[in-house]
Amino acid sequence: MQMQTLLSLLRWRELANPPMVASLIESDPAPVPRDVMSKQVLIVDDEPNVRLAYRMTLEAEGMSVHQADGAAAALEKLSTMPIDLAILDLRMPEMDGLELLAEMRNRGHSTPTVIITAYGEVPHAVRAMKLGAIDFLEKPLTPEALRGMIGEIFARHMPAALPTRPAADDFGTHFAEAKRLINLQTFDAAWTHLSKALELSPGSPSALNLAGVLFEMQGDYERAGKLYEKAIKSLPNYAPATQNIRRLVDFYESGSRKEPFNFGN
C-alpha cells in the first residue's frame, strides 16, 4: 500500500471514530407523496408476517401491494404486471435478494429496488449499487422508516418532480437529480448535476458526501475518501460521511465492506 494511502487511511480512521461524537439533528422521514395512490409495490420476503406488516403499512398510504414468498413468484409478477417499486429481503432460501435483483436486471426490469437486511450489514454492497439498489433498510423495520424511505424513493423517481433536465437552477434540484441519476447508474450526468450543486454551495456536506459515493462506486477510492473528509470538515461528525469513511477503512483493512453506502439527505 502506498504511503499516501496509508496516511489517508490513518486520517480516515480518526474521522470515522471521533473521540466525542456531536449530537446530530436528524431530519424527519420524507412524507409519502400524494401521487402514490396508483403505485404498485412488490414485497418479496419468505416470512408471511413480515409481508403482512409491510402490506398493511403501505396500503394505509393508498398503494397497491403485491406479495411474493421468493424469487420465482417475484419474477412471475414482474413479468405480468407493472411494478413501481420492489422491496426485497436480503436473506431468502434458494435465491437471496441480491441474486434476485441481478436476475431482474438480466430480464430487463429496471424497477427501483429497496434491499432489507436483518444482519446489520450489506454484503457485496458495491454489487448491489451496480445493480441499481441504493436504498437499504434494516430489520426490525418500523412503519415510520418504511414510509419515509418509500416517500423519498417515489419523490426521486417522480417524472413531474424530477425531469431529465431540472426546471430550477438551484442546489436542491441539482442534488436530487444527481441522486436519481446515480440510482439509474448514469454517472457522468450525475456528476454534471453534482458539480453544479457544489458550485452553488461549495461547502455542502451532503453534496460532498454524495460526490464521494459517486466516485467510490466507480472505484476511485482515493478521491472518494478526500470528498468524505471534506464533508466532515464542513460539518464535524457528519454521520453519512463518517459511515462511508468507516466503510473505506474496512475495505482497506480487510478487502470487504460491512456497511452500505450512506447517501445522506
Side-chain angles (χ1 to χ4, degrees):
M1 190 180 296
Q2 296 181 354
M3 180 60 67
Q4 183 61 41
T5 301
L6 285 170
L7 293 174
S8 298
L9 177 58
L10 291 173
R11 181 167 62 249
W12 294 344
R13 183 190 299 280
E14 293 175 357
L15 292 169
N17 300 280
M20 183 178 296
V21 178
S23 298
L24 295 175
I25 300 176
E26 297 289 341
S27 58
D28 293 332
V32 177
R34 293 182 179 180
D35 297 0
V36 304
M37 295 297 289
S38 61
K39 294 298 183 182
Q40 307 287 320
V41 179
L42 174 62
I43 299 169
V44 187
D45 196 300
D46 59 314
E47 298 183 26
N49 290 340
V50 172
R51 297 197 304 271
L52 176 62
Y54 297 169
R55 179 175 64 80
M56 292 176 64
T57 297
L58 299 181
E59 285 183 344
E61 300 294 337
M63 286 170 258
S64 296
V65 179
H66 309 275
Q67 302 179 62
D69 60 2
L75 291 168
E76 181 180 356
K77 289 184 182 297
L78 285 162
S79 66
T80 58
M81 63 183 65
I83 298 295
D84 299 298
L85 175 69
I87 301 174
L88 311 182
D89 189 50
L90 179 64
R91 299 292 182 181
M92 294 186 292
E94 298 182 4
M95 183 181 290
D96 66 27
L98 291 184
E99 292 170 333
L100 171 56
L101 179 59
E103 184 60 26
M104 288 168 56
R105 299 303 184 242
N106 287 338
R107 298 189 184 195
H109 301 300
S110 59
T111 310
T113 301
V114 178
I115 299 291
I116 296 183
T117 174
Y119 295 85
E121 62 180 32
V122 179
H124 313 301
V126 171
R127 181 186 175 205
M129 307 299 290
K130 289 182 177 179
L131 293 170
I134 69 171
D135 299 293
F136 304 90
L137 286 171
E138 183 177 349
K139 293 180 181 178
L141 184 59
T142 66
E144 292 77 14
L146 181 59
R147 283 194 295 266
M149 176 67 79
I150 299 307
E152 197 275 340
I153 293 171
F154 280 135
R156 185 195 312 152
H157 287 274
M158 201 146 322
L162 291 173
T164 303
R165 300 183 64 181
D169 187 23
D170 58 51
F171 173 85
T173 302
H174 283 291
F175 180 82
E177 180 69 0
K179 193 171 183 180
R180 183 182 75 90
L181 290 168
I182 290 174
N183 197 173
L184 297 174
Q185 311 295 291
T186 312
F187 296 132
D188 289 344
W191 176 240
T192 297
H193 289 289
L194 261 181
S195 298
K196 186 61 178 179
L198 286 167
E199 287 179 12
L200 295 167
S201 182
S204 166
S206 57
L208 290 166
N209 176 71
L210 187 60
V213 169
L214 173 62
F215 284 105
E216 185 178 350
M217 288 178 67
Q218 297 176 90
D220 192 341
Y221 305 117
E222 291 284 352
R223 192 170 185 180
K226 291 177 181 178
L227 286 161
Y228 296 145
E229 182 179 346
K230 287 182 179 180
I232 294 176
K233 285 182 178 179
S234 179
L235 179 61
N237 299 321
Y238 178 57
T242 299
Q243 176 180 325
N244 288 330
I245 285 181
R246 186 166 58 240
R247 189 188 55 260
L248 270 186
V249 171
D250 288 340
F251 176 67
Y252 272 111
E253 291 185 334
S254 65
S256 64
R257 297 172 174 83
K258 297 183 179 179
E259 292 184 273
F261 290 89
N262 192 324
F263 281 68
N265 50 38

